[in-house]
Amino acid sequence: MARAGLNAERLVRAGAEMADEAGFDHVTVSALARRFDVKAASLYSHVKSSEDLRTRIALLALEELADRAAAALAGRAGKDALAAFADAYRDYAREHPGRYAAAQLRLDPETAAASAGVKHAQMTRAILRGYDLSEPDQTHAVRLLGSIFHGYISLESAGGFSHTPVGTQETWSWLLDRLDALLRGAASP
């Protein structure tokens, strides 16, 4: 029988903490069992497999990130919304590197459609409405923002910019200014 107090939610939260501490790639049912000093078999009544655990952590991370981004966007428009949204992602990645990595996990289509990932796309499109982009430019812009934000955050977290004299915050601000100008220039006349 599983140790009292263990349930799927507690295991997923502990797995998310483990991801932040040791890296998302190191999260397994066996590693989690060691953390709780129980046999791995006792956790299978709560999670089906390491893949199931990792998927649940990804869903938790997507939900947390969506909540944070939504709070940052409240009452903002235009460049302020763009910067708040981008900063929410960057701050989350800095505070929760393993969870941020989990949020990048490829989900099966059915799970993805029911996840907070849909909220992320909706929020991005809401920001872009302030730039008056029509289709297909809006879809291109959603992909552009996701690529730039994730690419920059990934390179920064891997120490890719540590060898330059220009600070990463200065580059981040420059990047957001250029994105804003690009999106304003791409708007239909």
Side-chain angles (χ1 to χ4, degrees), residues 25 37 51 61 86-87 117 125 133 171 179 181:
D25 292 340
D37 195 28
E51 182 180 342
D87 287 344
R125 287 187 182 274
L133 297 174
T171 302
L179 282 172

Side-chain angles (χ1 to χ4, degrees), residues 97-185:
R99 294 176 202 207
Y100 183 78
Q104 310 311 311
L105 184 69
R106 184 177 184 149
L107 302 171
D108 67 72
E110 185 177 317
T111 303
S115 76
V118 174
K119 291 180 191 175
H120 294 270
Q122 291 169 339
M123 285 186 280
T124 305
R125 287 187 182 274
I127 292 166
L128 292 172
R129 279 195 293 277
Y131 291 99
D132 196 30
L133 297 174
S134 58
E135 285 299 342
D137 289 341
Q138 192 177 98
T139 295
H140 298 321
V142 167
R143 293 173 180 163
L144 171 73
L145 294 179
S147 298
I148 290 175
F149 297 160
H150 178 64
Y152 189 90
I153 290 166
S154 296
L155 289 168
E156 181 181 38
S157 67
F161 305 133
S162 61
H163 62 283
T164 63
V166 177
T168 57
Q169 182 57 46
E170 184 179 340
T171 302
W172 183 251
S173 296
W174 180 91
L175 179 86
L176 294 174
D177 288 342
R178 295 316 175 272
L179 282 172
D180 175 63
L182 173 69
L183 293 170
R184 278 187 283 115

Side-chain angles (χ1 to χ4, degrees), residues 38-106:
V38 298
K39 293 185 188 240
S42 67
L43 301 186
Y44 288 115
S45 62
H46 305 293
V47 293
K48 296 176 195 170
S49 62
S50 289
E51 182 180 342
D52 178 44
L53 174 63
R54 291 167 51 86
T55 297
R56 290 174 187 232
I57 294 168
L59 294 172
L60 171 69
L62 286 168
E63 191 67 43
E64 289 176 344
L65 190 49
D67 290 346
R68 183 176 287 203
L73 284 174
R76 299 177 193 258
K79 183 182 175 203
D80 287 342
L82 177 69
F85 187 72
D87 287 344
Y89 274 76
R90 187 174 180 221
D91 292 346
Y92 186 81
R94 287 175 163 176
E95 294 168 28
H96 301 290
R99 294 176 202 207
Y100 183 78
Q104 310 311 311
L105 184 69
R106 184 177 184 149

